[in-house]
Amino acid sequence: MNRDIMICGVGGQGTVLASRIIAASAMDEGNPVHSAETIGMAQRGGPVTSHVRIGSGAFSPLIPAGGADLLIAFEPSEAVRNLKYLKKDGFVIVNSVPVKPTSLGSSEGYDGKAEIAFIKSKRDCLTVDSEALCAPFGSSKFFNVAVLGAAAATGKLGLSADTLRAEIIKTVPERFLEKNMAAFEAGMKIGE
Amino acid sequence: MSKKYVMGNGAIALGALSAGVNLVAGYPGTPSSEIIETVAKYPHDGTYVEWSVNEKAAMEVASAAAYCGARAMVTMKQVGLNVASDPLMSLAYVGVKGGMVVVSADDPGPISSQTEQDTRRFAEFARIPVFDPSSPEEAFEMTREAFAYSEKYKTPVILRPTTRVDHAYASVDCPDSFTAGEYEGFVKDSKKWVIFPRLSYMNHAAIEKRNVEIGADFSACRFNSVSGSSKKAVVATGVSFAYASEFLKAYPDVRLIKVGTPYPLPESFLLEALAGVDEALCFEELSPYIEESLLKLIGKHKLGITVRGKLTGDVPPSGENDADSAKRIISRFLGLETDHAAEDMSGAPEPPARPPVLCAGCPHRASFYAVKRAMKGKKAYFCGDIGCYTLGNAMPLDMVDTCLCMGAGITMAQGFNHMDGEAVAISFTGDSTFFASGITGVVNAVYNAADMIVCILDNSTTAMTGHQPHPGTGRNLMSSPVEKISIEKILLAVGVKKVVTVDPLDLSAAIAAVSECALIKGVKAVIFKSPCVAIVRPNKKCAVNSEKCIGCLRCVRELGCPALSVKDGRAVIDSNLCTGCGLCARVCPADAIGGDPS
């Protein structure tokens, strides 16, 4: 299998954990994997991306423009920013809840709706409302695992839900495990 | 043996451990920091590992190990190599007994650095060999090989990864635990280990002769390769080779030459690889290093090959390459039509700019805000430094007027004081930066009778690079606890007139401390002490009482906290981000912000 998956969002949203679980799961299913993440100053509230490249067809850590099969966007405007990486027949999973930039002028009026409409006009798309999805768990920090459930259920990830579940158990701290597993299952329901 | 999925930096660490490294030292700096963290994390027997106070210290500690015949590795980012260049330049003349690998991670872009300098040039400047990995897998192999070359030629060897190799993940095969190698120990020989002009003169000649031999050796090295046989050749290095390969997999006939050992130049390999070539495109990042090397080689051998690259404007002079620039630049060079139509983004809403900001609840925000309030209406210069707190430059705080390099905040504030005694000169230095290179600056300011305020932003960690310990934290990589070194005692000991330690989240006390120091002549210091929120993870929240909020938006306008935003003309707090630091509550004139009852 050759599959390129891009994950994007804003620093602090937990994209790195999601990409690591996808990468580890793909390896568990016997694939060679390469990946790359944004680390450093940009992590402090800046746009972040993770590139996960599954299969032997990847020569470099970064996905070329027009090369990704799946874009998992943790934020609507970040989905727009990174849409160029997606194949013409690629699929988008996007969180509809915006992260407003901190400067006063630009935080007003930005609600993510125009971004979602634009994404929908371009590609097949599943929108996920992270606030509604994560409300039972008390924090949108569980969105990174919940969205993996949604992605697994759509079939676009190319990985079995059980493999992902096993990796989540290995990866997340034990005291958060129960809520993470519940978040994954809640995501599965949305993706079905 | 097992397969381990690691970051490029992890692969370098595992490469060193599997080469039996005896000592690893370094100073944190993106993109290099995870090398030492990985060494410390994996089970190893007999390997000493430390975070040094700065890169110069690390280089010197490692040099002693190499003099003992032990294998040593020292890690840093490219600007760290500037700090360590004093020992390195001399060490290049003296040489080593045990293998010594200097990892200097370059940062094309730059993504997280002050400069786009090129360590390959530094290697040539220091006359020592350099390896340039194109992938994490190769970084693992090259690290092992670098130790072998270092011992064979008795010289330190540089490994120069770049950000995209350091932070890319791949699988490497290696043992599950490691044992450090045996070493002879230091054998006294002052003619060998004490650098003197006579020794340097003799060794310089020997080094130039040796480097020709290393170039010949490199010509047979597996890290240099050629595929395809076209008359137009692409010559690529580092991660740019990976991007070129990605594009050229559809064009296997195109000659693709990889240079994994840029200095000393593998001349005979290149002469053979370039046979029959009439035009070569150098696809590399940072400086046109290989391009200039090829031009020299072609001139020396009077070859009729046109060289294209950064010097001809075919490759951009700055910034990083990627898969898309590889496609665009190489296809133009080869005269290929590519099918890729760019995404039609007409009608797309412009994504908002998201400059990096201090985290919600970051105590640095409170420190900057307190100094700003204390200096309101006064002429003041604010000299920042390297760390998370460089982000204090962003609006609305706007509290960093200068940032140059590690430690420069203190010394530059001193310089401003001498040039403009009317203004209050204030420096901001983090705790780790203070230990790295701030202390000498304070001594310089006290000795030269400056009038200034040294602000130490002490969050008890090296936050920006991933929370490494430092001399003030009470732990190191080998044991815990260790003696905490007190910043306050150091400042008092070197003669700072007044040292006040204050919690920046206690806003009125913090403002008073700064105001008080401003009234005293000489060098004064305020230590703003509050732990990094990313470590302590406080679980408190603040909330806006929308009944009481008068919509003045002072909290939003003055603090720039990512948890604060505006909804229907009132301030709102994102409870997912809020840490309950309470700074906004102290700023609110209507007493509308309080702890969240839930």
Side-chain angles (χ1 to χ4, degrees), chain B residues 232-296:
Chain B
K232 285 191 169 196
V234 175
V235 184
T237 70
V239 75
S240 296
F241 171 76
Y243 302 140
S245 303
E246 176 98 25
F247 173 61
L248 289 174
K249 67 185 175 190
Y251 307 94
D253 295 339
V254 173
R255 195 177 317 209
L256 176 60
I257 300 169
K258 186 180 83 167
V259 184
T261 62
Y263 181 83
L265 195 69
E267 290 195 5
S268 55
F269 159 75
L270 280 167
L271 289 171
E272 204 170 307
L274 289 165
V277 168
D278 51 28
E279 200 172 10
L281 172 76
C282 294
F283 190 58
E284 61 192 317
E285 292 174 316
L286 302 173
S287 72
Y289 184 78
I290 289 298
E291 191 177 352
E292 289 176 9
S293 301
L294 276 192
L295 286 168
K296 278 189 236 173

Side-chain angles (χ1 to χ4, degrees), chain B residues 543-597:
Chain B
V544 179
N545 180 337
S546 56
E547 305 275 291
K548 284 168 119 184
C549 178
I550 55 172
C552 71
L553 305 183
R554 185 172 173 189
C555 52
V556 180
R557 218 175 43 239
E558 294 192 2
L559 301 179
C561 175
L564 283 167
S565 61
V566 187
K567 197 173 175 187
D568 305 326
R570 299 275 186 277
V572 287
I573 293 173
D574 181 345
S575 65
N576 289 307
L577 294 176
C578 181
T579 67
C581 79
L583 183 64
C584 54
R586 292 184 177 88
V587 166
C588 177
D591 200 21
I593 303 176
D596 183 351

Side-chain angles (χ1 to χ4, degrees), chain B residues 67 88 117 137 169-170 180 187 211 232 244 247 302 322 379 453 477 484 498 515 559 592 595:
Chain B
Y67 283 15
L88 181 63
Q117 65 192 68
E137 297 94 326
Y169 278 76
V187 179
N211 280 354
K232 285 191 169 196
F247 173 61
K302 298 190 177 64
D322 59 21
K379 187 179 183 189
I453 303 173
L477 290 178
K484 275 190 191 180
K498 184 172 185 65
S515 302
L559 301 179

Side-chain angles (χ1 to χ4, degrees), chain B residues 363 365-374 502-515 528 554 558-559 581-588:
Chain B
R365 176 177 292 103
S367 305
F368 283 122
Y369 186 70
V371 176
K372 189 172 187 171
R373 287 275 294 270
V502 66
D503 177 357
L505 298 173
D506 184 349
L507 184 61
S508 49
I511 296 172
V514 179
S515 302
F528 293 100
R554 185 172 173 189
E558 294 192 2
L559 301 179
C581 79
L583 183 64
C584 54
R586 292 184 177 88
V587 166
C588 177

Side-chain angles (χ1 to χ4, degrees), chain B residues 38 52 172 192 214 283 286 327-328 387 428 434-435 450 468 500 538 547 569 581 583:
Chain B
T38 308
S52 308
V172 295
K192 189 176 167 71
I214 298 179
F283 190 58
L286 302 173
K327 184 174 191 173
R328 194 176 63 246
F428 293 103
F434 176 77
F435 288 112
Q468 293 79 14
V500 189
E547 305 275 291
C581 79
L583 183 64

